[in-house]
Amino acid sequence: MRKSLRNSGTDSGKKGKKMAECLFCRIVSKKVPAKIIYDDERILAFEDINPQAPVHALVIPKKHISTTLDIEDEDNELIGLLFQTAGKIAKEKGIAERGFRLVVNTNQEAGQTVYHVHIHILGGRHMHWPPG
Ligand code: 5GP
Ligand code: ZN
């Protein structure tokens, strides 16, 4: 898909505003507190404030990317690292062997409420399929 189709003028304006106010960017800059479980140059992970399973953590890029639809070519390595880090956290949390679920919601109908890309790590209980 061509970049010009993805980033219309009005959308990029909205994006700029969202970045300044974005909740997860505020967690990255430590303006909003969170129970941080992983922190490196490019990635942050923290406990979800409203856990849906015994283990429920969120892994985010420190760079603001609103949704999976906004991932650019230059972000591909970062997104790979994000999934690798999610796996490492699952191992550390002791849920890797029995199984866990990684969820990335995109836009309203999927239930995305925070417009900064994040992977949910869910585990410690049996996961249902299909998901609700
Ligand atoms: P989404 O619905 O966008 O896929 O996931 C957003 C997640 O962020 C939700 O699971 C929600 O509980 C979590 N969340 C929302 N606000 C906060 C917050 O201030 N701190 C933390 N740690 N998690 C939050
Ligand atoms: Zn953000």
Side-chain angles (χ1 to χ4, degrees), residues 45-106:
F46 49 91
E47 306 286 355
D48 196 291
I49 205 167
N50 183 22
Q52 302 301 311
V55 174
H56 188 176
L58 302 171
V59 194
I60 70 169
K62 288 190 172 177
K63 175 186 176 182
H64 180 87
I65 302 171
S66 299
T67 78
T68 56
L69 300 169
D70 301 296
I71 296 167
E72 307 275 4
D73 290 348
E74 67 181 28
D75 301 321
N76 287 345
E77 191 198 346
L78 177 62
I79 298 301
L81 281 172
L82 210 60
F83 276 88
Q84 188 182 37
T85 304
K88 285 181 183 168
I89 292 168
K91 280 183 197 158
E92 272 172 26
K93 293 273 188 188
I95 55 170
E97 288 305 317
R98 53 194 289 206
F100 60 96
R101 184 167 290 172
L102 301 181
V103 174
V104 184
N105 296 320
T106 297

Short mmCIF file of all heavy atoms in Angstrom, two decimals, residues 45-106:
data_model
loop_
_atom_site.label_atom_id
_atom_site.label_comp_id
_atom_site.label_asym_id
_atom_site.label_seq_id
_atom_site.Cartn_x
_atom_site.Cartn_y
_atom_site.Cartn_z
N ALA A 45 7.49 -3.10 29.19
CA ALA A 45 6.38 -4.00 29.52
C ALA A 45 5.95 -3.72 30.94
O ALA A 45 6.77 -3.39 31.81
CB ALA A 45 6.81 -5.46 29.37
N PHE A 46 4.64 -3.82 31.15
CA PHE A 46 4.10 -3.53 32.48
C PHE A 46 2.81 -4.32 32.69
O PHE A 46 2.20 -4.82 31.73
CB PHE A 46 3.86 -2.01 32.65
CG PHE A 46 3.10 -1.36 31.52
CD1 PHE A 46 1.73 -1.25 31.53
CD2 PHE A 46 3.78 -0.86 30.40
CE1 PHE A 46 1.03 -0.66 30.49
CE2 PHE A 46 3.09 -0.27 29.33
CZ PHE A 46 1.72 -0.16 29.39
N GLU A 47 2.42 -4.43 33.96
CA GLU A 47 1.21 -5.17 34.29
C GLU A 47 -0.02 -4.40 33.82
O GLU A 47 -0.08 -3.17 33.98
CB GLU A 47 1.11 -5.37 35.82
CG GLU A 47 2.33 -6.00 36.47
CD GLU A 47 2.46 -7.50 36.20
OE1 GLU A 47 1.55 -8.08 35.57
OE2 GLU A 47 3.49 -8.06 36.61
N ASP A 48 -1.01 -5.11 33.28
CA ASP A 48 -2.27 -4.46 32.90
C ASP A 48 -3.00 -4.04 34.18
O ASP A 48 -3.05 -4.78 35.16
CB ASP A 48 -3.15 -5.42 32.08
CG ASP A 48 -4.26 -4.69 31.36
OD1 ASP A 48 -5.19 -4.19 32.04
OD2 ASP A 48 -4.20 -4.60 30.12
N ILE A 49 -3.58 -2.85 34.15
CA ILE A 49 -4.25 -2.30 35.33
C ILE A 49 -5.55 -3.06 35.65
O ILE A 49 -6.02 -3.04 36.79
CB ILE A 49 -4.53 -0.78 35.11
CG1 ILE A 49 -4.62 -0.05 36.44
CG2 ILE A 49 -5.75 -0.55 34.25
CD1 ILE A 49 -4.58 1.47 36.31
N ASN A 50 -6.09 -3.75 34.66
CA ASN A 50 -7.37 -4.45 34.82
C ASN A 50 -7.21 -5.89 34.30
O ASN A 50 -7.74 -6.23 33.24
CB ASN A 50 -8.47 -3.69 34.06
CG ASN A 50 -9.83 -4.30 34.24
OD1 ASN A 50 -10.09 -5.03 35.19
ND2 ASN A 50 -10.72 -4.04 33.28
N PRO A 51 -6.47 -6.72 35.05
CA PRO A 51 -6.08 -8.04 34.51
C PRO A 51 -7.26 -8.95 34.19
O PRO A 51 -8.21 -9.05 34.97
CB PRO A 51 -5.20 -8.63 35.62
CG PRO A 51 -5.49 -7.83 36.85
CD PRO A 51 -5.96 -6.48 36.39
N GLN A 52 -7.17 -9.61 33.04
CA GLN A 52 -8.21 -10.54 32.59
C GLN A 52 -7.79 -11.99 32.76
O GLN A 52 -8.49 -12.91 32.33
CB GLN A 52 -8.52 -10.26 31.12
CG GLN A 52 -8.99 -8.84 30.85
CD GLN A 52 -10.24 -8.48 31.62
OE1 GLN A 52 -11.21 -9.23 31.62
NE2 GLN A 52 -10.22 -7.35 32.31
N ALA A 53 -6.65 -12.21 33.38
CA ALA A 53 -6.12 -13.56 33.63
C ALA A 53 -5.10 -13.42 34.76
O ALA A 53 -4.66 -12.31 35.06
CB ALA A 53 -5.46 -14.09 32.36
N PRO A 54 -4.72 -14.54 35.39
CA PRO A 54 -3.72 -14.45 36.47
C PRO A 54 -2.44 -13.75 36.03
O PRO A 54 -1.83 -13.03 36.82
CB PRO A 54 -3.47 -15.93 36.81
CG PRO A 54 -4.75 -16.62 36.46
CD PRO A 54 -5.26 -15.90 35.23
N VAL A 55 -2.04 -13.95 34.78
CA VAL A 55 -0.95 -13.15 34.20
C VAL A 55 -1.55 -12.31 33.09
O VAL A 55 -2.19 -12.84 32.17
CB VAL A 55 0.18 -14.04 33.63
CG1 VAL A 55 1.21 -13.19 32.90
CG2 VAL A 55 0.84 -14.87 34.73
N HIS A 56 -1.40 -11.01 33.19
CA HIS A 56 -1.85 -10.11 32.12
C HIS A 56 -0.90 -8.92 32.09
O HIS A 56 -0.98 -8.02 32.93
CB HIS A 56 -3.29 -9.65 32.35
CG HIS A 56 -3.86 -8.88 31.18
ND1 HIS A 56 -5.18 -8.45 31.15
CD2 HIS A 56 -3.32 -8.47 30.01
CE1 HIS A 56 -5.40 -7.81 30.00
NE2 HIS A 56 -4.27 -7.80 29.30
N ALA A 57 -0.01 -8.96 31.11
CA ALA A 57 0.97 -7.88 30.95
C ALA A 57 0.84 -7.29 29.56
O ALA A 57 0.27 -7.91 28.64
CB ALA A 57 2.38 -8.41 31.18
N LEU A 58 1.35 -6.09 29.40
CA LEU A 58 1.33 -5.41 28.11
C LEU A 58 2.76 -5.11 27.69
O LEU A 58 3.57 -4.67 28.52
CB LEU A 58 0.56 -4.09 28.23
CG LEU A 58 -0.89 -4.20 28.70
CD1 LEU A 58 -1.47 -2.81 28.99
CD2 LEU A 58 -1.75 -4.93 27.68
N VAL A 59 3.09 -5.38 26.44
CA VAL A 59 4.42 -5.08 25.91
C VAL A 59 4.24 -4.04 24.82
O VAL A 59 3.43 -4.23 23.90
CB VAL A 59 5.09 -6.33 25.30
CG1 VAL A 59 6.57 -6.06 25.07
CG2 VAL A 59 4.90 -7.53 26.18
N ILE A 60 4.99 -2.95 24.93
CA ILE A 60 4.81 -1.85 23.96
C ILE A 60 6.15 -1.37 23.42
O ILE A 60 7.17 -1.44 24.11
CB ILE A 60 4.04 -0.65 24.60
CG1 ILE A 60 4.90 0.07 25.65
CG2 ILE A 60 2.72 -1.10 25.22
CD1 ILE A 60 4.32 1.41 26.10
N PRO A 61 6.13 -0.85 22.18
CA PRO A 61 7.32 -0.15 21.71
C PRO A 61 7.35 1.22 22.38
O PRO A 61 6.29 1.82 22.60
CB PRO A 61 7.07 -0.01 20.20
CG PRO A 61 5.58 -0.01 20.06
CD PRO A 61 5.03 -0.83 21.21
N LYS A 62 8.53 1.72 22.71
CA LYS A 62 8.59 3.08 23.28
C LYS A 62 8.21 4.12 22.24
O LYS A 62 7.67 5.17 22.56
CB LYS A 62 9.98 3.35 23.86
CG LYS A 62 10.21 2.55 25.14
CD LYS A 62 11.46 2.95 25.87
CE LYS A 62 11.49 2.25 27.23
NZ LYS A 62 12.74 2.53 27.98
N LYS A 63 8.48 3.78 20.97
CA LYS A 63 8.06 4.65 19.88
C LYS A 63 6.53 4.62 19.76
O LYS A 63 5.93 3.54 19.81
CB LYS A 63 8.70 4.15 18.59
CG LYS A 63 8.25 4.88 17.35
CD LYS A 63 8.82 4.24 16.08
CE LYS A 63 8.27 4.94 14.85
NZ LYS A 63 8.75 4.31 13.59
N HIS A 64 5.92 5.76 19.59
CA HIS A 64 4.47 5.79 19.41
C HIS A 64 4.08 5.28 18.02
O HIS A 64 4.46 5.88 17.00
CB HIS A 64 3.91 7.20 19.60
CG HIS A 64 2.43 7.24 19.43
ND1 HIS A 64 1.55 7.00 20.46
CD2 HIS A 64 1.67 7.42 18.32
CE1 HIS A 64 0.31 7.05 20.00
NE2 HIS A 64 0.35 7.31 18.71
N ILE A 65 3.34 4.18 17.99
CA ILE A 65 2.71 3.67 16.76
C ILE A 65 1.26 3.43 17.15
O ILE A 65 0.99 2.69 18.09
CB ILE A 65 3.38 2.35 16.29
CG1 ILE A 65 4.88 2.53 16.06
CG2 ILE A 65 2.69 1.82 15.04
CD1 ILE A 65 5.65 1.21 15.81
N SER A 66 0.33 4.08 16.47
CA SER A 66 -1.06 4.07 16.95
C SER A 66 -1.71 2.69 16.88
O SER A 66 -2.34 2.25 17.83
CB SER A 66 -1.91 5.06 16.14
OG SER A 66 -1.41 6.36 16.28
N THR A 67 -1.61 2.05 15.72
CA THR A 67 -2.25 0.74 15.55
C THR A 67 -1.36 -0.13 14.66
O THR A 67 -0.40 0.36 14.06
CB THR A 67 -3.64 0.86 14.85
OG1 THR A 67 -3.44 1.04 13.44
CG2 THR A 67 -4.48 2.00 15.39
N THR A 68 -1.72 -1.39 14.53
CA THR A 68 -0.96 -2.27 13.63
C THR A 68 -1.00 -1.77 12.19
O THR A 68 -0.13 -2.10 11.39
CB THR A 68 -1.53 -3.71 13.66
OG1 THR A 68 -2.91 -3.67 13.32
CG2 THR A 68 -1.36 -4.33 15.03
N LEU A 69 -2.00 -0.96 11.88
CA LEU A 69 -2.11 -0.41 10.52
C LEU A 69 -1.08 0.69 10.25
O LEU A 69 -0.90 1.10 9.11
CB LEU A 69 -3.52 0.14 10.29
CG LEU A 69 -4.65 -0.88 10.45
CD1 LEU A 69 -6.00 -0.18 10.48
CD2 LEU A 69 -4.61 -1.90 9.33
N ASP A 70 -0.45 1.17 11.31
CA ASP A 70 0.51 2.27 11.19
C ASP A 70 1.96 1.80 11.25
O ASP A 70 2.88 2.62 11.31
CB ASP A 70 0.24 3.30 12.30
CG ASP A 70 -1.16 3.85 12.20
OD1 ASP A 70 -1.46 4.49 11.19
OD2 ASP A 70 -1.98 3.58 13.11
N ILE A 71 2.16 0.48 11.26
CA ILE A 71 3.53 -0.05 11.30
C ILE A 71 4.20 0.19 9.95
O ILE A 71 3.66 -0.19 8.90
CB ILE A 71 3.51 -1.56 11.64
CG1 ILE A 71 2.96 -1.77 13.06
CG2 ILE A 71 4.92 -2.15 11.52
CD1 ILE A 71 2.62 -3.22 13.38
N GLU A 72 5.34 0.85 9.99
CA GLU A 72 6.09 1.16 8.76
C GLU A 72 7.18 0.13 8.55
O GLU A 72 7.55 -0.59 9.47
CB GLU A 72 6.74 2.56 8.90
CG GLU A 72 5.80 3.68 9.28
CD GLU A 72 5.08 4.29 8.08
OE1 GLU A 72 5.27 3.79 6.95
OE2 GLU A 72 4.33 5.25 8.28
N ASP A 73 7.76 0.11 7.35
CA ASP A 73 8.87 -0.81 7.06
C ASP A 73 9.97 -0.69 8.10
O ASP A 73 10.54 -1.68 8.55
CB ASP A 73 9.46 -0.55 5.67
CG ASP A 73 8.49 -0.94 4.55
OD1 ASP A 73 7.48 -1.62 4.85
OD2 ASP A 73 8.74 -0.55 3.40
N GLU A 74 10.27 0.53 8.49
CA GLU A 74 11.38 0.76 9.44
C GLU A 74 11.07 0.19 10.83
O GLU A 74 11.97 0.09 11.67
CB GLU A 74 11.68 2.26 9.55
CG GLU A 74 10.55 3.04 10.20
CD GLU A 74 10.83 4.54 10.30
OE1 GLU A 74 11.58 5.06 9.46
OE2 GLU A 74 10.28 5.18 11.23
N ASP A 75 9.83 -0.18 11.09
CA ASP A 75 9.44 -0.71 12.41
C ASP A 75 9.51 -2.23 12.47
O ASP A 75 9.27 -2.82 13.53
CB ASP A 75 7.99 -0.30 12.74
CG ASP A 75 7.81 1.20 12.76
OD1 ASP A 75 8.71 1.90 13.23
OD2 ASP A 75 6.75 1.68 12.29
N ASN A 76 9.81 -2.89 11.36
CA ASN A 76 9.71 -4.35 11.32
C ASN A 76 10.59 -5.04 12.35
O ASN A 76 10.16 -5.99 13.02
CB ASN A 76 10.02 -4.88 9.91
CG ASN A 76 8.88 -4.57 8.95
OD1 ASN A 76 7.78 -4.22 9.38
ND2 ASN A 76 9.14 -4.67 7.66
N GLU A 77 11.82 -4.57 12.52
CA GLU A 77 12.71 -5.18 13.52
C GLU A 77 12.15 -4.96 14.93
O GLU A 77 12.14 -5.87 15.76
CB GLU A 77 14.11 -4.58 13.39
CG GLU A 77 15.14 -5.34 14.22
CD GLU A 77 16.41 -4.55 14.46
OE1 GLU A 77 16.62 -3.52 13.78
OE2 GLU A 77 17.18 -4.95 15.35
N LEU A 78 11.66 -3.76 15.16
CA LEU A 78 11.09 -3.41 16.46
C LEU A 78 9.90 -4.32 16.80
O LEU A 78 9.77 -4.81 17.93
CB LEU A 78 10.65 -1.94 16.44
CG LEU A 78 9.96 -1.37 17.66
CD1 LEU A 78 10.87 -1.42 18.88
CD2 LEU A 78 9.52 0.09 17.39
N ILE A 79 9.05 -4.57 15.82
CA ILE A 79 7.88 -5.42 16.06
C ILE A 79 8.31 -6.86 16.33
O ILE A 79 7.74 -7.54 17.18
CB ILE A 79 6.89 -5.33 14.87
CG1 ILE A 79 6.37 -3.88 14.71
CG2 ILE A 79 5.72 -6.30 15.05
CD1 ILE A 79 5.65 -3.29 15.92
N GLY A 80 9.36 -7.30 15.64
CA GLY A 80 9.92 -8.63 15.93
C GLY A 80 10.43 -8.71 17.36
O GLY A 80 10.16 -9.68 18.08
N LEU A 81 11.13 -7.67 17.79
CA LEU A 81 11.65 -7.62 19.16
C LEU A 81 10.52 -7.64 20.19
O LEU A 81 10.63 -8.22 21.26
CB LEU A 81 12.49 -6.36 19.37
CG LEU A 81 13.91 -6.36 18.83
CD1 LEU A 81 14.52 -4.96 18.95
CD2 LEU A 81 14.76 -7.37 19.61
N LEU A 82 9.42 -6.98 19.80
CA LEU A 82 8.26 -6.90 20.70
C LEU A 82 7.72 -8.30 20.99
O LEU A 82 7.47 -8.67 22.14
CB LEU A 82 7.20 -6.04 20.01
CG LEU A 82 6.24 -5.23 20.85
CD1 LEU A 82 6.97 -4.23 21.72
CD2 LEU A 82 5.26 -4.50 19.94
N PHE A 83 7.60 -9.11 19.93
CA PHE A 83 7.10 -10.48 20.12
C PHE A 83 8.12 -11.34 20.85
O PHE A 83 7.75 -12.15 21.71
CB PHE A 83 6.72 -11.09 18.76
CG PHE A 83 5.34 -10.71 18.33
CD1 PHE A 83 5.11 -9.56 17.60
CD2 PHE A 83 4.24 -11.50 18.69
CE1 PHE A 83 3.82 -9.19 17.22
CE2 PHE A 83 2.95 -11.14 18.31
CZ PHE A 83 2.74 -9.98 17.58
N GLN A 84 9.39 -11.15 20.53
CA GLN A 84 10.43 -11.92 21.22
C GLN A 84 10.42 -11.59 22.71
O GLN A 84 10.53 -12.49 23.57
CB GLN A 84 11.80 -11.59 20.61
CG GLN A 84 12.91 -12.48 21.12
CD GLN A 84 14.25 -12.08 20.53
OE1 GLN A 84 14.53 -10.89 20.35
NE2 GLN A 84 15.08 -13.06 20.22
N THR A 85 10.25 -10.32 23.04
CA THR A 85 10.22 -9.90 24.44
C THR A 85 8.99 -10.48 25.14
O THR A 85 9.07 -10.90 26.31
CB THR A 85 10.22 -8.36 24.53
OG1 THR A 85 11.36 -7.87 23.84
CG2 THR A 85 10.24 -7.88 25.97
N ALA A 86 7.88 -10.51 24.44
CA ALA A 86 6.66 -11.11 25.02
C ALA A 86 6.93 -12.56 25.40
O ALA A 86 6.54 -13.02 26.48
CB ALA A 86 5.50 -11.00 24.04
N GLY A 87 7.63 -13.29 24.53
CA GLY A 87 7.97 -14.68 24.84
C GLY A 87 8.87 -14.79 26.05
O GLY A 87 8.68 -15.66 26.91
N LYS A 88 9.85 -13.91 26.13
CA LYS A 88 10.77 -13.92 27.28
C LYS A 88 10.02 -13.66 28.58
O LYS A 88 10.28 -14.28 29.61
CB LYS A 88 11.87 -12.86 27.11
CG LYS A 88 12.93 -13.23 26.11
CD LYS A 88 13.99 -12.12 26.01
CE LYS A 88 15.02 -12.47 24.94
NZ LYS A 88 15.88 -11.31 24.62
N ILE A 89 9.09 -12.73 28.53
CA ILE A 89 8.31 -12.41 29.73
C ILE A 89 7.43 -13.61 30.12
O ILE A 89 7.32 -13.94 31.30
CB ILE A 89 7.47 -11.13 29.51
CG1 ILE A 89 8.41 -9.92 29.40
CG2 ILE A 89 6.45 -10.92 30.63
CD1 ILE A 89 7.74 -8.65 28.90
N ALA A 90 6.85 -14.25 29.12
CA ALA A 90 6.03 -15.44 29.41
C ALA A 90 6.88 -16.51 30.10
O ALA A 90 6.42 -17.15 31.06
CB ALA A 90 5.43 -15.98 28.12
N LYS A 91 8.11 -16.68 29.65
CA LYS A 91 9.01 -17.65 30.30
C LYS A 91 9.28 -17.23 31.74
O LYS A 91 9.20 -18.04 32.66
CB LYS A 91 10.34 -17.74 29.54
CG LYS A 91 10.29 -18.59 28.31
CD LYS A 91 11.68 -18.67 27.67
CE LYS A 91 11.55 -19.15 26.23
NZ LYS A 91 12.69 -18.78 25.40
N GLU A 92 9.60 -15.96 31.93
CA GLU A 92 9.89 -15.45 33.28
C GLU A 92 8.70 -15.59 34.21
O GLU A 92 8.84 -15.83 35.41
CB GLU A 92 10.32 -13.99 33.22
CG GLU A 92 11.80 -13.82 33.02
CD GLU A 92 12.20 -12.37 32.76
OE1 GLU A 92 11.47 -11.46 33.20
OE2 GLU A 92 13.22 -12.17 32.09
N LYS A 93 7.51 -15.44 33.65
CA LYS A 93 6.28 -15.53 34.46
C LYS A 93 5.87 -16.99 34.70
O LYS A 93 4.90 -17.26 35.40
CB LYS A 93 5.13 -14.81 33.74
CG LYS A 93 5.32 -13.30 33.64
CD LYS A 93 4.78 -12.62 34.88
CE LYS A 93 4.75 -11.12 34.74
NZ LYS A 93 4.40 -10.45 36.01
N GLY A 94 6.58 -17.91 34.06
CA GLY A 94 6.31 -19.33 34.29
C GLY A 94 5.09 -19.88 33.57
O GLY A 94 4.52 -20.90 33.97
N ILE A 95 4.68 -19.21 32.49
CA ILE A 95 3.49 -19.67 31.76
C ILE A 95 3.82 -20.19 30.37
O ILE A 95 2.94 -20.58 29.61
CB ILE A 95 2.42 -18.55 31.64
CG1 ILE A 95 3.03 -17.29 31.00
CG2 ILE A 95 1.83 -18.24 33.02
CD1 ILE A 95 2.00 -16.23 30.62
N ALA A 96 5.11 -20.19 30.02
CA ALA A 96 5.50 -20.52 28.64
C ALA A 96 5.17 -21.97 28.29
O ALA A 96 4.59 -22.25 27.23
CB ALA A 96 6.98 -20.24 28.43
N GLU A 97 5.50 -22.89 29.19
CA GLU A 97 5.33 -24.31 28.88
C GLU A 97 3.87 -24.70 28.78
O GLU A 97 3.46 -25.40 27.86
CB GLU A 97 6.05 -25.15 29.94
CG GLU A 97 7.58 -25.10 29.83
CD GLU A 97 8.08 -25.49 28.44
OE1 GLU A 97 7.57 -26.47 27.87
OE2 GLU A 97 8.97 -24.80 27.92
N ARG A 98 3.07 -24.24 29.73
CA ARG A 98 1.64 -24.63 29.71
C ARG A 98 0.88 -23.90 28.61
O ARG A 98 -0.14 -24.40 28.11
CB ARG A 98 1.00 -24.40 31.08
CG ARG A 98 1.17 -23.00 31.63
CD ARG A 98 0.83 -22.92 33.10
NE ARG A 98 -0.61 -23.04 33.31
CZ ARG A 98 -1.24 -22.54 34.36
NH1 ARG A 98 -0.57 -21.91 35.31
NH2 ARG A 98 -2.53 -22.69 34.49
N GLY A 99 1.35 -22.71 28.23
CA GLY A 99 0.73 -21.97 27.14
C GLY A 99 0.23 -20.61 27.57
O GLY A 99 -0.12 -20.40 28.74
N PHE A 100 0.20 -19.74 26.62
CA PHE A 100 -0.25 -18.36 26.89
C PHE A 100 -0.77 -17.78 25.59
O PHE A 100 -0.61 -18.37 24.52
CB PHE A 100 0.91 -17.52 27.45
CG PHE A 100 2.09 -17.41 26.54
CD1 PHE A 100 2.24 -16.32 25.70
CD2 PHE A 100 3.06 -18.41 26.50
CE1 PHE A 100 3.34 -16.23 24.85
CE2 PHE A 100 4.16 -18.32 25.65
CZ PHE A 100 4.29 -17.23 24.82
N ARG A 101 -1.42 -16.66 25.69
CA ARG A 101 -1.98 -16.04 24.49
C ARG A 101 -1.44 -14.63 24.32
O ARG A 101 -1.37 -13.87 25.29
CB ARG A 101 -3.51 -15.99 24.58
CG ARG A 101 -4.16 -15.44 23.32
CD ARG A 101 -5.64 -15.70 23.30
NE ARG A 101 -5.94 -17.12 23.12
CZ ARG A 101 -7.14 -17.66 23.21
NH1 ARG A 101 -8.18 -16.89 23.50
NH2 ARG A 101 -7.32 -18.94 23.02
N LEU A 102 -1.05 -14.29 23.09
CA LEU A 102 -0.68 -12.92 22.75
C LEU A 102 -1.80 -12.33 21.92
O LEU A 102 -2.26 -12.94 20.95
CB LEU A 102 0.63 -12.90 21.94
CG LEU A 102 1.85 -13.51 22.63
CD1 LEU A 102 3.08 -13.39 21.72
CD2 LEU A 102 2.12 -12.85 23.97
N VAL A 103 -2.27 -11.15 22.33
CA VAL A 103 -3.40 -10.51 21.66
C VAL A 103 -3.01 -9.09 21.26
O VAL A 103 -2.43 -8.36 22.07
CB VAL A 103 -4.63 -10.46 22.60
CG1 VAL A 103 -5.77 -9.66 21.97
CG2 VAL A 103 -5.11 -11.86 22.96
N VAL A 104 -3.33 -8.74 20.03
CA VAL A 104 -3.14 -7.36 19.59
C VAL A 104 -4.45 -6.89 18.97
O VAL A 104 -4.85 -7.34 17.89
CB VAL A 104 -2.01 -7.24 18.54
CG1 VAL A 104 -1.78 -5.77 18.18
CG2 VAL A 104 -0.72 -7.88 19.04
N ASN A 105 -5.16 -6.03 19.67
CA ASN A 105 -6.43 -5.52 19.17
C ASN A 105 -6.18 -4.33 18.24
O ASN A 105 -5.34 -3.49 18.53
CB ASN A 105 -7.31 -5.06 20.34
CG ASN A 105 -7.70 -6.22 21.24
OD1 ASN A 105 -8.00 -7.31 20.76
ND2 ASN A 105 -7.68 -6.01 22.55
N THR A 106 -6.92 -4.31 17.14
CA THR A 106 -6.79 -3.19 16.20
C THR A 106 -8.15 -2.56 15.93
O THR A 106 -9.06 -3.24 15.44
CB THR A 106 -6.16 -3.65 14.87
OG1 THR A 106 -4.84 -4.14 15.12
CG2 THR A 106 -6.06 -2.50 13.88
#
